[in-house]
């Protein structure tokens, strides 16, 4: 398609603007040309009629004049009454072609050698001949074709000249009108484009043209179906988490009972190995579940919510879980009101905080700060992480040059959730405002 | 204390039941909401351990019914749902704490003790009465700075008395805290435990109000 060659994808606006403008201009030109042809035809008729009329009126006078002079030898040139340019010239000849009389501007060479009755056209002139006295005297009146052409061109000019202004005006008018008409479509497109991957809430389709509205409805229905499917997947994940956690919990509890009741040190030692294995299994399964969640849907909530409560709750949970987690310090100077899903936010922050606890300098404080609205900073002290390693840290199963235990999934999960929810996560080392340490900053989507 | 465990997973329930009983508490174990409601209506419990996904409905429903009925028994939720929104919903429904599965049994004990201390109005785990010092978190007793060995049963009994120092607890109340349903209780068990504790802590530590019950001397 021609449009595709021009633009890659056909733009409705370009297509309509060009199509309408070219169409209107072409019609206009065609109408002007037709009008020009008709005018020329009519002008010819009028001029021919004037030529004929002139000949028929002049002939009797010429005959009278010739007869009165008793046909003297040689032609006679009519004395002009005041100098003027003649549009019509005439020649009066006898049947043999001898000139009896001529108008003052007449050039005999312009006339055919033998006079004839009726209309004739030479290369340069239109001629009408009229006979009198039984055909012995013939008067021919000639008019230059150039004169006629000039008249036709002038008439055509008055038809075409306004087009020079009107065509660009109509081009602009069409372009403007099309642009205004498809504005709702553009804003609908903008609304779709502006969404994060995880946002599946219906799009408002205010003011869409009737032709597009069904498409918008279909898009919204599709999103709704997708949302439900992903919701089902999410609840499946949650359920499998439940299914997996309970048996692990049971195995862990029984192992701990075994350690508690056994009198045999070797058995207790074995028990502690199993306990450690189960703990690792449980944290790995938790991370895998989080990763599945992060790459699924449901990262965006339909309604805005205050995530400050979630953050406070999370920090409280960390502090309670282990006494050493008293290293966490939470400072909030801004609000966290976002469309990001509370659970996704909690998983993301949990991973950032776990990361800081695990890899930060031992016993150093971990600052969790909300410096301004919708920004969360997690900062810990410790050795500087190089730029190459920073890049690698975002990858899955990557670990820094640390011996701390962990599946190495934390930052990958945080990254996936940030990307899927339209949030932005930056990692930097050293932390801003200090010479060492590691900093993760999260910008929440509105 | 007397604890009701509502957990439908047999293996996990078994281990938790054994662990809590081993610490000297009386623990009843039910697997459904219906059985839990029946137990709560017939016995006063000091604490509820509540699983959220039960065969006959969500545990939160039971919790909400209890709270709207004015029941203030401390509740710790045991949940496999790791989403923070589930946990916040649990707390907002009236739970005092929650533990995400899998959990350490020692952490369970710590949470149990912390919640019952808060409930008794004294979150400080160290209680001093006269020359006796109780460490509720460490489950240990000191008399004049020296550690005193007490058995799990004796500790459970002390804990009950410590929760309401100065308040009388009847023999039946103490038995209820120590022995679950169906346990064989000898008629003089409480008296035996009390007399052993007096030997260890000094005769005047526990006061007997004849025909009414026992209380810790302030």
């Amino acid at each position: 398609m021609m449009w595709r060659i021009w633009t890659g994808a056909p733009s409705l606006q370009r297509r309509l603007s060009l199509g309408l403008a070219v169409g209107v201009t072409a019609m206009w030109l065609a109408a002007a040309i037709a009008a020009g042809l008709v005018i020329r035809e009519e002008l010819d008729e009028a001029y021919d009629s004037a030529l004929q009329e002139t000949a028929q009126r002049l002939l009797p006078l010429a005959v009278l004049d010739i007869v009165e002079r008793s046909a003297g030898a040689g032609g006679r040139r009519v004395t002009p009454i005041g100098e003027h340019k003649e549009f019509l010239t005439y020649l009066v000849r006898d049947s043999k072609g001898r000139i009896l009389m001529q108008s003052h501007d007449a050039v005999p060479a312009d006339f055919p050698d033998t006079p004839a009755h009726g209309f004739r056209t030479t290369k340069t002139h239109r001629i009408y001949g009229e006979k009198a006295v039984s055909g012995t005297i013939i008067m021919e009146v000639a008019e230059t074709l150039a004169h006629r052409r000039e008249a036709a061109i002038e008439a055509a000019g008055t038809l075409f000249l306004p087009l020079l202004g009107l065509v660009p005006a109509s081009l602009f008018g069409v372009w403007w009108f099309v642009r205004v008409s498809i504005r709702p479509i553009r804003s609908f497109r903008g609304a779709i484009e502006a969404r994060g991957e995880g946002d599946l809430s219906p799009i408002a389709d205010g003011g869409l043209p009737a032709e597009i509205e069904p498409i918008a409805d279909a898009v919204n229905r599709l999103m709704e179906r997708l949302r439900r499917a992903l919701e089902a997947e999410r609840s499946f994940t949650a359920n499998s988490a439940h299914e997996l956690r309970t048996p692990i919990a049971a195995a862990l509890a029984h192992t701990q009972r075994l350690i508690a009741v056994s009198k045999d040190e070797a058995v207790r030692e074995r028990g502690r190995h199993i306990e450690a294995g189960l703990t690792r299994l449980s944290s790995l399964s938790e991370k895998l579940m989080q990763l599945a969640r992060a790459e699924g849907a449901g990262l965006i909530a339909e309604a805005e919510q205050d995530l400050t409560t979630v953050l406070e709750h999370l920090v409280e949970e960390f502090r309670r879980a282990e006494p050493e987690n008293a290293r966490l310090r939470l400072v909030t100077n801004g609000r966290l009101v976002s469309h990001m899903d509370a659970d996704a936010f909690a998983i993301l922050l949990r991973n950032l905080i776990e990361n800081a606890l695990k890899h930060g300098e031992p016993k150093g404080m971990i600052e969790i700060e909300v410096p301004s609205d919708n920004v969360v900073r997690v900062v810990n002290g410790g050795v500087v992480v190089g730029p190459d390693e920073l890049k690698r840290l975002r990858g899955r199963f990557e670990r820094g040059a640390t011996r701390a235990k962990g599946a190495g999934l934390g930052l990958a999960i945080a990254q996936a959730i940030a990307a899927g929810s339209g949030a932005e996560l930056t990692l930097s080392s050293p932390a801003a405002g200090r010479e060492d340490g590691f900093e993760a900053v999260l910008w929440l989507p509105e | 204390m007397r604890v009701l465990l509502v957990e439908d997973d047999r293996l996990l329930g078994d281990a938790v039941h054994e662990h809590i009983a081993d610490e000297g508490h009386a623990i009843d174990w039910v697997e459904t909401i219906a059985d839990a409601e029946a137990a709560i209506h017939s016995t006063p419990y000091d604490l509820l351990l509540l699983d959220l996904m039960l065969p006959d409905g969500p545990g939160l429903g039971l919790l909400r019914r209890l709270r709207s009925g004015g029941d203030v028994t401390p509740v710790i939720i045991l949940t496999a749902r790791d989403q923070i929104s589930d946990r916040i919903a649990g707390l907002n429904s009236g739970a005092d704490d929650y533990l995400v599965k899998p959990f350490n049994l020692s952490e369970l004990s710590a949470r149990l003790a912390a919640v019952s201390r808060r409930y008794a109005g004294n979150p400080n785990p160290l209680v001093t009465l006269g020359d006796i010092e109780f460490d509720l978190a460490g489950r240990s007793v000191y008399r004049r700075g020296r550690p005193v060995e007490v058995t799990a049963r004796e500790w459970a009994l002390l804990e009950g008395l410590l929760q309401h120092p100065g308040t009388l607890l009847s023999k039946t109340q103490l038995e209820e805290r120590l022995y679950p349903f169906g346990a064989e209780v000898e008629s003089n068990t409480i008296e035996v435990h009390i007399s052993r504790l007096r030997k260890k802590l000094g005769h005047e530590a526990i006061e007997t109000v004849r025909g009414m019950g026992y209380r810790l001397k302030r």
Side-chain angles (χ1 to χ4, degrees), chain A residues 245 254 256-257 317 343, chain B residues 11 85 98 101 104-105:
Chain A
R245 274 158 188 280
H254 277 281
Q256 286 172 348
R257 286 304 302 154
E317 206 174 273
D343 294 323
Chain B
L11 270 176
S85 52
Y98 58 81
K101 294 176 188 174
N104 273 320
L105 290 177

Side-chain angles (χ1 to χ4, degrees), chain A residues 125-136:
Chain A
H125 289 75
R126 179 77 168 160
I127 295 164
Y128 179 73
E130 190 66 65
K131 293 179 180 176
V133 200
S134 317
T136 53

Side-chain angles (χ1 to χ4, degrees), chain A residues 19-35 160 163 167:
Chain A
L20 286 174
V22 167
V24 164
T25 310
M27 300 282 271
W28 216 326
L29 281 174
I33 288 167
F160 283 99
L163 288 189
V167 167

Side-chain angles (χ1 to χ4, degrees), chain A residues 254-326:
Chain A
H254 277 281
T255 309
Q256 286 172 348
R257 286 304 302 154
L258 183 72
I259 298 167
V261 300
S262 175
K263 305 252 186 290
D264 186 342
E265 179 52 33
V267 171
R268 286 209 296 274
E269 187 55 29
R270 222 17 98 74
R272 280 191 281 272
H273 288 319
I274 301 174
E275 186 186 15
L278 285 171
T279 309
R280 217 164 53 228
L281 175 64
S282 116
S283 76
L284 182 61
S285 75
E286 183 187 330
K287 287 286 175 256
L288 285 174
M289 228 86 76
Q290 287 183 357
L291 194 62
R293 174 88 212 281
E295 288 176 352
L299 300 178
I300 300 278
E302 273 176 36
E304 276 194 337
Q305 51 192 328
D306 187 358
L307 297 175
T308 320
T309 332
V310 177
L311 183 61
E312 282 165 357
H313 190 80
L314 194 66
V315 171
E316 180 55 35
E317 206 174 273
F318 266 105
R319 283 185 185 143
R320 211 165 34 185
E322 276 179 60
E324 71 133 13
N325 291 351

Side-chain angles (χ1 to χ4, degrees), chain A residues 234 238-239 241-243 245-254 256-257 260-261 275 278-279 282 286 289-290 293 309-310 313-314 317 320-321 341-344 346-347 350, chain B residues 7-16 18-20 22-23 51-53 79-88 91 96-98 100-107 111 118:
Chain A
R234 189 176 158 189
N239 286 337
H242 177 252
E243 298 302 322
R245 274 158 188 280
T246 305
I248 293 177
L252 186 65
H254 277 281
Q256 286 172 348
R257 286 304 302 154
V261 300
E275 186 186 15
L278 285 171
T279 309
S282 116
E286 183 187 330
M289 228 86 76
Q290 287 183 357
R293 174 88 212 281
T309 332
V310 177
H313 190 80
L314 194 66
E317 206 174 273
R320 211 165 34 185
D341 179 72
D343 294 323
I347 294 174
R350 170 177 285 279
Chain B
E7 168 62 66
D8 64 317
D9 186 83
R10 290 278 169 90
L11 270 176
L12 180 62
D14 187 40
V16 170
E18 191 186 308
H19 172 74
I20 291 175
D22 211 30
E23 292 206 314
D51 182 24
L52 281 189
M53 291 164 94
T79 175
R81 310 287 296 259
D82 65 330
Q83 302 294 333
I84 201 150
S85 52
D86 293 327
R87 304 198 292 256
I88 292 178
L91 293 180
D96 296 85
D97 203 351
Y98 58 81
V100 178
K101 294 176 188 174
F103 47 82
N104 273 320
L105 290 177
S106 53
E107 191 180 356
R111 299 282 182 98
R118 275 209 300 274

